[in-house]
Amino acid sequence: MKNLPFISLSLLLTLPLVIEVSAQNIAINSTGNLPDTSAMLDISSTSKGLLIPRMTTTQIANIPTPATGLIAFSTTDSTFKFNNGTTISANWVSFLSNNSGWGLTGNTCLNSGAQFLGTINNSSLRLRTNNTEKMVLDSNGRVGIGIASPTALLHLKAGTAAANTAPIKFTSGVASQTSLEAGALNYNGTDLTLSDGTYTYMLDRALSGSATLDFPNTGSGSVADLDITVTGASSGDVVALGIPNSAVSGTATYTAWVSSSNTVTVRFSPKNILGENPSSGLFKVRVIK
């Protein structure tokens, strides 16, 4: 190991620069420290930087047989470029630029066939905010939002009673597109619709309610009415009625309608001339808005 002589006046003016050379590597510093054993070239300074060759992008592209990993600074677009190709087929790309990676201020001119955001092994891509995982794309292509281990192609965290926690929410738009798309869901502020590509179907907006009803003994030609409360029901809504098996009669009928706001009336109409007294049971109604 020895100190190399300075080779120019400019180097003399930089004293006390010291170049330490060992059998394997070189150190350039002002302290005389030996090079780090892991580095072929170890440069240390507290007041100066490393300046690499500067040239236009065209000049860089014309470097003959550039080594893989060769670096130069482009004065054309003010980026550091390196050859990630071969000496025969060079491919100059920029460090953390729109050409080679994802920049923190946006990206353009990406090669979608070769560049991507993700992993190249069998690992999931996990996204965090405030250092807490919020979303994952696992190695099987399943997306979990608020779910660390999704078990469906799209797996959403359950909502809560608190505001702004619903698993999914539609912004009010149109009931359907002019050109129908199979599988398209739309919400127009009132109705949720689904298209099969030929027709648009309105998904029922339904309310439900139930009550145990015990109709009295009712004579033929008479009727008995009992009510079920269904909050939100209004006159004219379609009502579907579920009758418990114990109350079914072959000689009587049941009908149901919204008789007033929030109230569904169930009517028992016997046909037996002797009248009937049906068994009580849990009646269920579904009110379609």
Side-chain angles (χ1 to χ4, degrees), residues 219-256:
S220 177
S222 299
V223 297
D225 295 338
L226 294 176
D227 295 332
I228 298 175
T229 299
V230 180
T231 302
S234 56
S235 179
D237 289 343
V238 177
V239 178
L241 176 63
I243 306 168
N245 187 60
S246 61
V248 173
S249 170
T251 58
T253 60
Y254 293 92
T255 54

Coordinates of all heavy atoms in Angstrom, one line a residue, residues 219-256:
G219 N -116.8 -15.2 10.8 CA -117.8 -15.9 10.0 C -117.7 -15.7 8.5 O -117.0 -14.7 8.1
S220 N -118.3 -16.6 7.8 CA -118.3 -16.5 6.3 C -119.0 -15.1 5.9 O -120.0 -14.7 6.5 CB -119.1 -17.6 5.7 OG -119.2 -17.5 4.3
G221 N -118.3 -14.5 5.0 CA -118.9 -13.2 4.5 C -118.3 -12.1 5.3 O -118.5 -10.9 4.9
S222 N -117.6 -12.3 6.3 CA -116.9 -11.3 7.1 C -115.4 -11.3 6.9 O -114.9 -12.3 6.4 CB -117.3 -11.4 8.6 OG -118.7 -11.3 8.8
V223 N -114.8 -10.3 7.4 CA -113.3 -10.3 7.3 C -112.7 -9.8 8.7 O -113.4 -9.2 9.5 CB -112.8 -9.3 6.2 CG1 -113.3 -9.8 4.8 CG2 -113.3 -7.9 6.5
A224 N -111.5 -10.2 8.9 CA -110.8 -9.7 10.1 C -109.5 -9.1 9.7 O -108.7 -9.7 8.9 CB -110.6 -10.9 11.1
D225 N -109.2 -7.9 10.1 CA -107.9 -7.2 9.8 C -107.0 -7.0 11.0 O -107.5 -6.6 12.1 CB -108.3 -5.8 9.2 CG -109.0 -5.8 7.9 OD1 -109.0 -6.9 7.2 OD2 -109.7 -4.8 7.6
L226 N -105.7 -7.3 10.8 CA -104.7 -7.0 11.8 C -103.5 -6.3 11.1 O -103.3 -6.5 9.9 CB -104.2 -8.3 12.4 CG -105.3 -9.1 13.3 CD1 -104.7 -10.4 13.8 CD2 -105.7 -8.2 14.5
D227 N -102.8 -5.6 11.9 CA -101.7 -4.7 11.3 C -100.3 -5.2 11.6 O -100.1 -5.7 12.7 CB -101.9 -3.3 11.7 CG -103.2 -2.7 11.2 OD1 -103.7 -3.1 10.1 OD2 -103.7 -1.7 11.9
I228 N -99.4 -4.9 10.7 CA -98.0 -5.1 10.9 C -97.3 -3.7 10.6 O -97.5 -3.1 9.6 CB -97.4 -6.2 10.0 CG1 -98.0 -7.5 10.3 CG2 -95.9 -6.3 10.2 CD1 -97.6 -8.6 9.3
T229 N -96.5 -3.3 11.5 CA -95.7 -2.0 11.3 C -94.5 -2.2 10.4 O -93.7 -3.1 10.7 CB -95.3 -1.4 12.7 OG1 -96.5 -1.2 13.5 CG2 -94.5 -0.1 12.5
V230 N -94.4 -1.5 9.4 CA -93.3 -1.5 8.5 C -92.9 0.0 8.2 O -93.5 0.7 7.4 CB -93.6 -2.2 7.1 CG1 -92.4 -2.2 6.2 CG2 -94.1 -3.6 7.4
T231 N -91.9 0.4 8.9 CA -91.5 1.8 8.8 C -91.0 2.1 7.4 O -90.2 1.4 6.8 CB -90.3 2.1 9.8 OG1 -90.8 1.8 11.1 CG2 -89.9 3.5 9.7
G232 N -91.6 3.1 6.8 CA -91.2 3.5 5.4 C -92.2 3.1 4.4 O -92.2 3.6 3.2
A233 N -93.1 2.3 4.8 CA -94.2 1.8 3.8 C -95.1 3.0 3.6 O -95.5 3.8 4.5 CB -94.9 0.6 4.4
S234 N -95.6 3.1 2.3 CA -96.5 4.1 2.0 C -97.6 3.6 1.0 O -97.3 2.6 0.3 CB -95.8 5.3 1.4 OG -95.1 5.0 0.2
S235 N -98.7 4.3 0.9 CA -99.8 3.8 0.1 C -99.4 3.6 -1.3 O -98.7 4.4 -2.0 CB -100.9 4.9 0.1 OG -102.0 4.5 -0.7
G236 N -99.8 2.4 -1.9 CA -99.5 2.1 -3.2 C -98.3 1.2 -3.4 O -98.1 0.6 -4.5
D237 N -97.5 1.0 -2.3 CA -96.4 0.1 -2.4 C -96.8 -1.4 -2.6 O -97.9 -1.7 -2.2 CB -95.5 0.1 -1.1 CG -94.8 1.4 -1.0 OD1 -94.6 2.2 -2.0 OD2 -94.3 1.7 0.2
V238 N -96.0 -2.1 -3.3 CA -96.3 -3.5 -3.5 C -96.0 -4.3 -2.3 O -95.0 -4.1 -1.7 CB -95.5 -4.1 -4.7 CG1 -95.8 -5.6 -4.9 CG2 -95.8 -3.3 -6.0
V239 N -96.9 -5.2 -1.9 CA -96.7 -6.0 -0.6 C -96.8 -7.5 -1.0 O -97.7 -7.9 -1.6 CB -97.8 -5.6 0.4 CG1 -97.6 -6.5 1.7 CG2 -97.8 -4.1 0.8
A240 N -95.7 -8.2 -0.5 CA -95.7 -9.6 -0.6 C -95.9 -10.2 0.8 O -95.3 -9.6 1.8 CB -94.4 -10.1 -1.2
L241 N -96.8 -11.2 0.9 CA -97.1 -11.7 2.3 C -96.7 -13.1 2.5 O -96.9 -14.0 1.6 CB -98.7 -11.6 2.4 CG -99.3 -12.2 3.7 CD1 -98.8 -11.4 4.9 CD2 -100.8 -12.2 3.6
G242 N -96.0 -13.4 3.6 CA -95.6 -14.7 4.0 C -96.5 -15.2 5.1 O -96.7 -14.6 6.1
I243 N -97.2 -16.4 4.8 CA -98.2 -16.9 5.8 C -97.6 -18.1 6.5 O -97.1 -19.0 5.8 CB -99.5 -17.3 5.0 CG1 -100.0 -16.1 4.2 CG2 -100.6 -17.8 6.0 CD1 -101.1 -16.5 3.2
P244 N -97.7 -18.2 7.8 CA -97.2 -19.3 8.5 C -98.0 -20.6 8.1 O -99.3 -20.5 8.0 CB -97.3 -19.0 10.0 CG -98.4 -17.9 10.0 CD -98.2 -17.2 8.7
N245 N -97.4 -21.7 8.0 CA -98.2 -22.9 7.6 C -99.3 -23.3 8.6 O -100.4 -23.7 8.1 CB -97.2 -24.1 7.6 CG -97.8 -25.3 7.0 OD1 -98.3 -25.3 5.8 ND2 -97.8 -26.4 7.7
S246 N -99.1 -22.9 9.8 CA -100.2 -23.3 10.8 C -101.5 -22.5 10.6 O -102.5 -22.9 11.0 CB -99.7 -23.0 12.2 OG -99.3 -21.6 12.4
A247 N -101.4 -21.3 9.9 CA -102.6 -20.5 9.7 C -103.2 -20.7 8.3 O -104.2 -20.1 8.0 CB -102.2 -19.0 9.9
V248 N -102.6 -21.5 7.5 CA -103.1 -21.7 6.1 C -104.4 -22.5 6.2 O -104.6 -23.5 6.9 CB -102.1 -22.5 5.3 CG1 -102.7 -22.9 3.9 CG2 -100.8 -21.6 5.1
S249 N -105.4 -22.1 5.4 CA -106.7 -22.7 5.3 C -107.1 -22.9 3.8 O -106.9 -22.0 3.0 CB -107.7 -21.9 6.0 OG -109.0 -22.4 5.8
G250 N -107.7 -24.0 3.6 CA -108.1 -24.3 2.2 C -109.4 -23.5 1.8 O -109.8 -23.5 0.7
T251 N -110.0 -23.0 2.8 CA -111.3 -22.3 2.6 C -111.3 -20.8 3.0 O -112.3 -20.2 3.3 CB -112.4 -23.0 3.3 OG1 -112.1 -23.1 4.8 CG2 -112.6 -24.4 2.8
A252 N -110.0 -20.3 3.1 CA -109.9 -18.9 3.5 C -108.7 -18.3 2.7 O -107.9 -19.0 2.2 CB -109.7 -18.8 5.0
T253 N -108.7 -17.0 2.6 CA -107.7 -16.3 1.9 C -107.1 -15.2 2.8 O -107.8 -14.7 3.7 CB -108.2 -15.7 0.6 OG1 -109.2 -14.7 0.9 CG2 -108.6 -16.7 -0.4
Y254 N -105.8 -14.8 2.5 CA -105.2 -13.7 3.2 C -104.8 -12.7 2.1 O -104.2 -13.1 1.1 CB -104.0 -14.1 4.0 CG -104.3 -15.0 5.2 CD1 -104.3 -16.4 5.0 CD2 -104.5 -14.5 6.4 CE1 -104.5 -17.2 6.1 CE2 -104.8 -15.3 7.5 CZ -104.8 -16.7 7.4 OH -105.0 -17.5 8.4
T255 N -104.9 -11.4 2.4 CA -104.4 -10.4 1.5 C -103.7 -9.3 2.4 O -104.0 -9.3 3.6 CB -105.6 -9.7 0.7 OG1 -106.6 -9.2 1.6 CG2 -106.2 -10.7 -0.3
A256 N -102.9 -8.5 1.7 CA -102.2 -7.5 2.5 C -101.9 -6.3 1.6 O -101.7 -6.4 0.4 CB -100.8 -8.1 3.0

